[in-house]
Amino acid sequence: MTRTPVGILISGGGSNKVELVRSMPDDRPGTPKLVLSNRTGAKGLERARSVGVPAACVDHRGRSKVDFEGELAQHLNAAGIEVLCLAGFMRLLSAEFVARWEGRILNIHPSLLPLFKGLDTHARALAEGVAVHGCTVHEVTAALDAGPIRDQAVVRVLAGDTPEVLADRVLAMEHQLYHAILRAWLNDPNCLVSLLDA
Ligand code: GRF
């Protein structure tokens, strides 16, 4: 089986990254080849190395976006990455960078897009009084959190939810959704899969 080399970009703990890596044993269409973090000391780098995935920090601070993205690209090219997954990666990528990965770059966002693009999604969902919230896997385009939606998972908002409690429930759904969509996508990038049909 030809296995697609997958790169993962993180900024923090990288729990989505952990689930993605775990979901790619030898009989799967993808193989995790590289984890990059824009933050020094991101816990996720250690976790990646501990399961044998090369990991590096590309610090975004004190340099231009062009320079930062140039170094990201060097790492990705050197590792032969073909598909890129953003997993809790908190930098906006330039239109030029994204264009080079068009159709090969996914993100997970903690809301039911197009609702609540950007930050603080759980607090904003609670403030709006929505009855359901959730997460979205989408392709990345130059516009923030606006690329084609590949799938979504829904969680009910419960009485007494705080942003933190709601975030935990959504994160648990993210962990189920992202790898399922990635796997289906690697098998057939044109497919539209849904956990609802599974
Ligand atoms: C997740 O909700 C992710 O979607 C968001 O940050 C949270 C933590 O992600 N961007 P992770 O544990 O770093 O993967």
Side-chain angles (χ1 to χ4, degrees):
M1 183 202 303
T2 314
R3 304 187 68 208
T4 305
V6 176
I8 305 172
L9 301 189
I10 64 170
S11 294
S15 67
N16 276 296
K17 182 266 307 167
V18 169
E19 295 305 319
L20 287 173
V21 169
R22 226 182 246 158
S23 75
M24 291 186 259
D26 288 347
D27 61 341
R28 297 294 159 86
T31 182
K33 281 285 187 201
L34 181 63
V35 172
L36 295 176
S37 170
N38 67 298
R39 291 216 181 111
T40 50
K43 261 197 242 157
L45 292 178
E46 272 314 303
R47 283 177 172 176
R49 291 187 192 114
S50 72
V51 292
V53 181
C57 173
V58 179
D59 198 340
H60 67 277
R61 291 172 304 179
R63 64 202 298 197
S64 69
K65 188 171 274 231
V66 171
D67 201 38
F68 166 63
E69 291 183 348
E71 192 183 338
L72 285 182
Q74 270 175 16
H75 281 275
L76 296 169
N77 293 340
I81 299 303
E82 289 177 17
V83 162
L84 203 48
C85 290
L86 312 188
F89 181 68
M90 304 305 281
R91 303 298 298 171
L92 266 183
L93 293 165
S94 70
E96 292 73 21
F97 184 95
V98 168
R100 283 196 292 276
W101 287 91
E102 192 183 347
R104 301 185 296 137
I105 178 168
L106 291 176
N107 181 42
I108 187 147
H109 182 75
S111 79
L112 295 173
L113 289 172
L115 293 175
F116 310 122
K117 294 175 180 172
L119 299 173
D120 300 325
T121 57
H122 310 299
R124 286 159 59 208
L126 290 176
E128 291 292 342
V130 294
V132 292
H133 185 44
C135 55
T136 303
V137 173
H138 66 96
E139 290 184 42
V140 177
T141 59
L144 176 70
D145 299 329
I149 291 172
R150 303 311 302 192
D151 208 352
Q152 298 182 302
V154 175
V155 302
R156 184 161 285 285
V157 176
L158 302 176
D161 268 350
T162 61
E164 293 73 26
V165 168
L166 186 54
D168 283 348
R169 267 203 327 282
V170 171
L171 191 59
M173 292 308 293
E174 292 181 44
H175 293 165
Q176 292 184 47
L177 186 70
Y178 206 177
H179 67 80
I181 300 313
L182 173 66
R183 192 180 328 149
W185 203 57
L186 291 173
N187 278 322
D188 175 6
N190 296 315
C191 74
L192 254 189
V193 291
S194 173
L195 288 185
L196 301 176
D197 303 330

